[in-house]
Amino acid sequence: MYEGVVQNLIDELGMLPGVGPKSAQRIAFHLLAADPADVKRLAHALLEVKERVRFCRVCGNVAAEEECRICRDQRRDPHVICVVEESKDVVAIEKTREFRGRYHVLGGAISPIDGVGPDDLRIRELMTRLADGQVTELILATDPNLEGEATATYLARLVKPMGLKVTRLASGLPVGGDLEYADEVTLGRAFEGRRLLDV
Amino acid sequence: MRVCHLSLTDFRSYPSAEIALEPGVTAFVGPNGHGKTNLVEAIGYVATQSSHRVATDAPLVRHGAERAIVRALVARDERRALVELEINPGRANRARVNRSPVARPREALGLLRTVLFAPEDLALVKGDPSERRRFLDDLLVARAPRFAGVRADYDRVLKQRNTLLRTAAATKGRRRGPRRQDDEAAFSSAGAGDVLSTLDVWDSHLVRHGAELLAARLDLVEALRPLTAKAYATLAPASAAADLEYRTGVKLSTDCGRSRDILEEALRASLAEARQAELERGVTLVGPHRDDLHLALGELPARGYASHGESWSFALALRLAAYDLLRADGGDPVLILDDVFAELDGQRRTRLAEIVAPAEQVLITAAVPDDVPAELAGARFDVTEGSATRVR
């Protein structure tokens, strides 16, 4: 144990995801030795992120203003919505530059064990967005694990009466990988989701 | 298939051990509590990634050590594979195959296949249905490692669904009386209205994974039936015939087939029928997790009716049937006989010895050399105070 303030800092850092007690101690001593201006900038960034960043009124993505950059962008296709679990999934999809529609961030997936039901996710907001009939396709891009699949099934059933096109991201083989190294579940999924080769 | 070399670090009583093994019979002989079973347990662990003695990994790590490492060099025909498992209690285990890490330890399953006979097998006949379900599922995984994933998925869906049902039961219970503390949190955050709306979703996933497991178990039992009957007749010729039947709470009509689609439909229907009772009791009442493998001797159930000797023969017959099945798939599995001969009378001992003697590799543990039948003479290690020495 260290003197009060140092130990406080280590304890606080240790609560961050992916930071264990050893790393927390290392970061704390790095900060102690660092230039005061650098530390001030870090502290400022931390405070600012809590004060200024909010969640987009429309899609739930992190935003610096009332609406996020993507929702404000008039060039984005308003007819397609891609549903993801977290804001970081938006970033991952944006990096592909494949998708030109809009997003909806749920804020998690249905998981009774964690006490998360549909009312805890931004599903009501999604239904409101779909109500005006402008959206024609809903892409379900929740994680390909049990909870993500369950959430996708739930949403697909919920929007079924609306008659819009509902798609799920394909799961299967990684690009550049070897078939023989794929695990059997992934390979099985890839078989289920095989498609016609158009030549 | 055989194990050429076993090496242990901080596994059970062994700080370290290096044991070279040959094809044919090898016996580990030594007093009880000196570490014979630990050696064959380690080999069984490489094959199944679970112990035949304990349900959790923690006891496998030597007291005071942080992790245990088991390495086995496995030879199948001319091919060799080095399987390395790092057992980290409370954290994810890690595995390497031929010195390369694999993403998930279960990818190292299937490289070594074993059939293990142990005194604990008596529970297959006398114990709870969970023992027999585990026997079936372990055999499914040994035949097709993919089923490790199917079973894990099914268990996860089941856990989610049971939590949801408990929340629903708590919501109802609130009107009648006080709720349990842990349900309180789940209830307040999940919201009462959500419960039924998401139950259908979990049903559909439970049905999908459950039907896959059910279909595989039904096929497996059909394949085991004649093999078990034959093995039992060899071990106990004077006794009534042994038979197996998979008993499930899922209502299956007798005339239709057993395809996945039909089973999914049947499981869905059974869940719908049980829903009211499930909502009241807060637990999933139908599905593979409630099924049983029924064992019969003639007209009578083996459990409760079979004598001690008959029960032993039945347990051995099940293991021998599993051995036959794995052998038919290709690749003679390694046979492990942990302390079983001491439990058998002279006739059963001889019969079992005759059946297992031709196997590519047989590993035996015994407290005294006389417990090893003459038919199974071969290499011998003396195991005392946590060290194994080759003596023959």
Side-chain angles (χ1 to χ4, degrees):
Chain A
M1 292 292 265
Y2 297 92
E3 296 285 321
V5 281
V6 179
Q7 189 59 44
N8 277 351
L9 179 59
I10 294 174
D11 290 347
E12 291 297 327
L13 290 169
M15 279 189 250
L16 300 174
V19 181
K22 292 271 183 203
S23 306
Q25 185 178 319
R26 196 169 148 207
I27 298 170
F29 279 93
H30 172 83
L31 292 173
L32 271 179
D35 189 69
D38 288 344
V39 179
K40 279 217 174 79
R41 251 201 331 276
L42 173 65
H44 182 67
L46 285 174
L47 290 173
E48 205 174 35
V49 82
K50 280 316 276 183
E51 280 164 12
R52 300 231 349 238
V53 173
R54 43 194 148 173
F55 295 97
C56 172
R57 179 170 65 80
V58 181
C59 72
N61 193 6
V62 286
E65 293 168 43
E66 192 84 338
E67 288 183 17
C68 75
R69 186 175 49 77
I70 296 168
C71 287
R72 274 183 289 131
D73 187 343
Q74 292 304 316
R75 290 165 302 171
R76 307 286 300 216
D77 185 352
H79 303 294
V80 189
I81 290 182
C82 178
V83 181
V84 296
E85 290 182 18
E86 307 285 351
S87 291
K88 52 188 189 234
D89 301 329
V90 172
V91 177
I93 296 175
E94 280 300 286
K95 275 187 192 155
T96 69
R97 299 183 176 276
E98 284 289 322
F99 180 64
R100 298 303 302 162
R102 292 159 189 258
Y103 291 95
H104 193 83
V105 181
L106 292 174
I110 297 173
S111 173
I113 293 172
D114 304 310
V116 179
D119 285 357
D120 304 302
L121 304 174
R122 299 184 72 256
I123 291 177
R124 203 173 290 117
E125 289 85 341
L126 177 64
M127 299 309 282
T128 314
R129 285 178 79 182
L130 298 177
D132 67 2
Q134 199 188 15
V135 176
T136 53
E137 184 180 355
L138 195 64
I139 302 173
L140 300 175
T142 48
D143 289 344
N145 53 27
L146 280 174
E147 290 74 19
E149 294 290 352
T151 309
T153 313
Y154 178 81
L155 288 175
R157 287 181 183 198
L158 202 61
V159 303
K160 201 173 180 185
M162 296 179 161
L164 45 83
K165 184 174 164 193
V166 179
T167 54
R168 178 92 176 101
L169 283 196
S171 47
L173 301 169
V175 174
D178 286 323
L179 203 65
E180 58 167 317
Y181 292 125
D183 74 280
E184 281 142 340
V185 177
T186 304
L187 200 49
R189 286 276 195 86
F191 259 93
E192 272 175 21
R194 70 185 185 277
R195 59 189 164 79
L196 271 178
L197 200 55
D198 229 355
V199 281
Chain B
M1 182 178 290
R2 64 194 167 86
V3 178
C4 308
H5 194 95
L6 175 71
S7 127
L8 304 178
T9 307
D10 291 329
F11 184 88
R12 290 273 191 187
S13 55
Y14 291 92
S16 78
E18 299 290 335
I19 292 165
L21 293 164
E22 284 166 26
V25 178
T26 301
F28 297 97
V29 179
N32 288 322
H34 282 231
K36 307 182 297 286
T37 295
N38 298 347
L39 295 174
V40 292
E41 182 183 37
I43 291 175
Y45 193 90
V46 173
T48 61
Q49 293 181 13
S50 67
S51 155
H52 70 286
R53 293 199 288 180
V54 286
T56 58
D57 283 346
L60 303 179
V61 178
R62 195 170 64 90
H63 190 69
E66 208 170 304
R67 65 179 71 85
I69 296 169
V70 181
R71 286 189 189 85
L73 181 63
V74 180
R76 181 174 182 172
D77 303 321
E78 293 307 305
R79 285 167 45 213
R80 279 162 186 252
L82 179 65
V83 184
E84 296 173 277
L85 299 174
E86 185 184 296
I87 304 169
N88 298 310
R91 284 180 301 134
N93 291 345
R94 291 195 296 186
R96 296 202 303 169
V97 175
N98 291 330
R99 310 240 173 242
S100 309
V102 292
R104 275 176 296 230
R106 63 177 196 239
E107 285 170 34
L109 286 169
L111 292 165
L112 173 65
R113 301 204 292 183
T114 58
V115 175
L116 194 146
F117 299 73
E120 286 84 353
D121 286 346
L122 206 51
L124 286 177
V125 182
K126 297 192 167 183
D128 292 336
S130 61
E131 305 278 350
R132 290 178 287 280
R133 287 194 296 267
R134 188 182 155 185
F135 167 74
L136 292 176
D137 289 348
D138 284 351
L139 188 53
L140 282 179
V141 173
R143 295 185 76 192
R146 181 174 77 84
F147 279 101
V150 175
R151 189 166 58 168
D153 281 352
Y154 181 76
D155 288 346
R156 176 93 184 152
V157 178
L158 189 64
K159 210 170 145 197
Q160 289 281 20
R161 192 174 184 273
N162 282 343
T163 309
L164 191 64
L165 286 169
R166 252 204 326 278
T167 314
T171 317
K172 278 192 161 181
R174 192 167 58 148
R175 285 182 224 118
R176 296 195 204 113
R179 278 176 288 146
R180 296 218 329 263
Q181 196 83 49
D182 57 334
D183 292 328
E184 194 98 20
F187 169 76
S188 59
S189 62
D194 294 344
V195 172
L196 287 177
S197 64
T198 47
L199 194 53
D200 284 340
V201 171
W202 292 110
D203 280 7
S204 71
H205 288 266
L206 191 82
V207 161
R208 188 146 58 94
H209 298 293
E212 188 168 12
L213 196 56
L214 188 58
R217 284 194 193 162
L218 286 166
D219 284 348
L220 180 66
V221 172
E222 274 320 297
L224 282 174
R225 257 183 93 192
L227 299 172
T228 310
K230 197 182 98 213
Y232 186 82
T234 314
L235 289 166
S239 172
D243 199 8
L244 308 178
E245 188 196 350
Y246 187 77
R247 291 205 172 156
T248 173
V250 181
K251 292 204 174 59
L252 302 171
S253 51
T254 42
D255 50 345
C256 67
R258 293 285 182 262
S259 75
R260 281 268 296 281
D261 291 349
I262 291 169
L263 292 174
E264 281 193 15
E265 210 39 65
L267 182 50
R268 192 173 294 121
S270 297
L271 278 173
E273 214 169 289
R275 173 162 294 190
Q276 203 47 47
E278 288 184 335
L279 284 170
E280 270 157 31
R281 292 175 53 186
V283 65
T284 302
L285 293 170
V286 284
H289 66 290
R290 307 274 290 199
D291 295 348
D292 193 7
L293 176 66
H294 179 73
L295 312 178
L297 282 177
E299 297 295 304
L300 296 172
R303 193 182 179 190
Y305 286 89
S307 70
H308 189 71
E310 285 171 331
S311 298
W312 251 113
S313 297
F314 213 135
L316 290 174
L318 285 169
R319 291 286 178 205
L320 286 169
Y323 172 61
D324 278 341
L325 207 57
L326 290 175
R327 203 166 40 162
D329 291 344
D332 212 354
V334 175
L335 277 176
I336 300 172
L337 297 113
D338 180 20
D339 236 346
V340 287
F341 288 108
E343 306 272 350
L344 302 178
D345 60 32
Q347 190 192 17
R348 287 194 177 89
R349 203 186 267 216
T350 312
R351 291 233 158 85
L352 181 61
E354 283 166 2
I355 296 173
V356 304
E360 185 176 342
Q361 189 173 46
V362 185
L363 307 173
I364 301 170
T365 71
V368 289
D370 289 350
D371 277 347
V372 182
E375 292 87 344
L376 295 175
R380 200 175 110 192
F381 284 85
D382 277 352
V383 183
T384 44
E385 287 166 8
S387 81
T389 324
R390 178 93 187 252
V391 291
R392 192 169 71 198

